[in-house]
Amino acid sequence: MKIHKLIAAGLTTLILGSGAFAQSSKNETSVEDEYMSSMEDVVITEMANSDVRENKLVALQYLEAAAEKGNVSKDMLNALDQLAGEGISTQSRTKGRLSNNYPDIRAKACDILGKVGTEEAAYVLTQVVKYDNEPWVLSRAIHALGEIGENEDDKVTDTIAFISNRVEVLNPTSSLAAEIIDAYEKLLPKTKNRKPVIDSLSRIASDYRFVRPVRTKALELLRANSGATSEKKSNDK
């Protein structure tokens, strides 16, 4: 406990110190600024990699602040990648048992990646969607992908459609289905091949395990895009 408080205090000092040096022109980066930024990256990386859960939570606080300011470095993005895969892509074991399965940390990292909003952040989120099995984390990752809105070569919608099919079979939840529909609504204008999305929406709309408002919303989105889909098919002929 004392260790993570000391690290957090040190990081706060670094951040406050960096603000004191930010008096020079915006077009010039001083040696002091570069040093402070580098040290901040090092401390956040160490906290993200720590075996202490509280350190990871503190790292997320500073990463969220950086994302809100639009000041996320490559090292910070790597730290978010690490935290988004905590217990999935990165595993620690104690006496053979997984000791770092922290879905709350993964979910928060997904929220922050959505605020980062870059192509690199979107890629990390698609990896979360592919490999995480926790509905709560999947919901946050899919929501963040919808907020970012990137869908180059339909990679995002194809990934969401694939996972939608998987969770409908293994663990269907109305809250996750609702996030999937919302993401589709935001991503469809940038989607070339809409068939996987249409198929996914059709399954949700007809699956009575989902609550009525979710099925209704899926059906409404289907109807709203049926004309556009038909028109696209005609243009492709």
Side-chain angles (χ1 to χ4, degrees), residues 164-177:
S164 175
N165 184 47
R166 187 187 75 184
V167 297
E168 285 165 33
V169 172
L170 299 176
N171 187 21
T173 65
S174 292
S175 58
L176 177 53

Side-chain angles (χ1 to χ4, degrees), residues 69-82:
K69 294 176 182 177
N71 188 29
V72 175
S73 67
K74 182 178 180 180
D75 286 336
M76 290 182 181
L77 186 61
N78 289 337
L80 282 168
D81 188 359
Q82 157 90 18

Side-chain angles (χ1 to χ4, degrees), residues 2-237:
K2 290 182 179 179
I3 293 176
H4 84 259
K5 287 184 178 179
L6 287 172
I7 295 176
L11 183 57
T12 301
T13 301
L14 285 171
I15 293 174
L16 291 175
S18 65
F21 286 114
Q23 302 298 322
S24 58
S25 171
K26 291 182 179 180
N27 296 325
E28 297 178 0
T29 303
S30 67
V31 174
E32 291 88 350
D33 287 333
E34 291 180 356
Y35 174 76
M36 286 298 183
S37 296
S38 177
M39 288 302 297
E40 183 180 344
D41 286 348
V42 169
V43 175
I44 288 176
T45 298
E46 288 298 317
M47 294 175 74
N49 291 330
S50 170
D51 291 332
V52 181
R53 182 175 179 276
E54 287 78 6
N55 285 350
K56 299 179 187 296
L57 293 172
V58 174
L60 285 169
Q61 292 177 5
Y62 288 106
L63 288 165
E64 184 172 29
E68 290 174 348
K69 294 176 182 177
N71 188 29
V72 175
S73 67
K74 182 178 180 180
D75 286 336
M76 290 182 181
L77 186 61
N78 289 337
L80 282 168
D81 188 359
Q82 157 90 18
L83 293 166
E86 194 70 36
I88 303 296
S89 59
T90 304
Q91 297 185 344
S92 297
R93 295 187 179 275
T94 303
K95 295 181 179 180
R97 298 182 62 182
L98 186 64
S99 58
N100 68 327
N101 183 25
Y102 304 136
D104 58 328
I105 287 176
R106 301 200 301 272
K108 184 63 178 178
C110 290
D111 287 338
I112 298 171
L113 285 163
K115 294 178 181 179
V116 174
T118 62
E119 183 179 339
E120 292 81 2
Y123 174 77
V124 174
L125 288 164
T126 58
Q127 298 308 296
V128 173
V129 173
K130 285 180 182 178
Y131 300 112
D132 206 305
N133 293 316
E134 173 61 49
W136 175 25
V137 180
L138 288 173
S139 293
R140 301 320 302 157
I142 290 170
H143 176 84
L145 284 169
E147 290 297 307
I148 293 175
E150 293 291 334
N151 192 30
E152 184 180 358
D153 297 327
D154 299 340
K155 291 177 182 177
V156 174
T157 46
D158 285 351
T159 298
I160 294 175
F162 173 78
I163 297 306
S164 175
N165 184 47
R166 187 187 75 184
V167 297
E168 285 165 33
V169 172
L170 299 176
N171 187 21
T173 65
S174 292
S175 58
L176 177 53
E179 290 292 356
I180 289 171
I181 296 167
D182 286 343
Y184 285 154
E185 188 171 16
K186 294 170 183 174
L187 294 167
L188 270 170
K190 298 183 179 180
T191 304
K192 297 176 182 177
N193 178 19
R194 297 186 173 190
K195 186 178 185 306
V197 176
I198 297 302
D199 290 346
S200 175
L201 286 170
S202 298
R203 290 194 302 270
I204 294 173
S206 60
D207 192 334
Y208 284 86
R209 291 174 296 177
F210 299 125
V211 296
R212 183 186 295 273
V214 168
R215 288 184 281 116
T216 300
K217 188 168 185 179
L219 185 58
E220 289 174 349
L221 189 56
L222 274 171
R223 289 171 175 168
N225 286 274
S226 59
T229 303
S230 300
E231 182 179 347
K232 188 176 185 303
K233 287 181 178 178
S234 298
N235 293 334
D236 290 341
K237 290 182 179 180

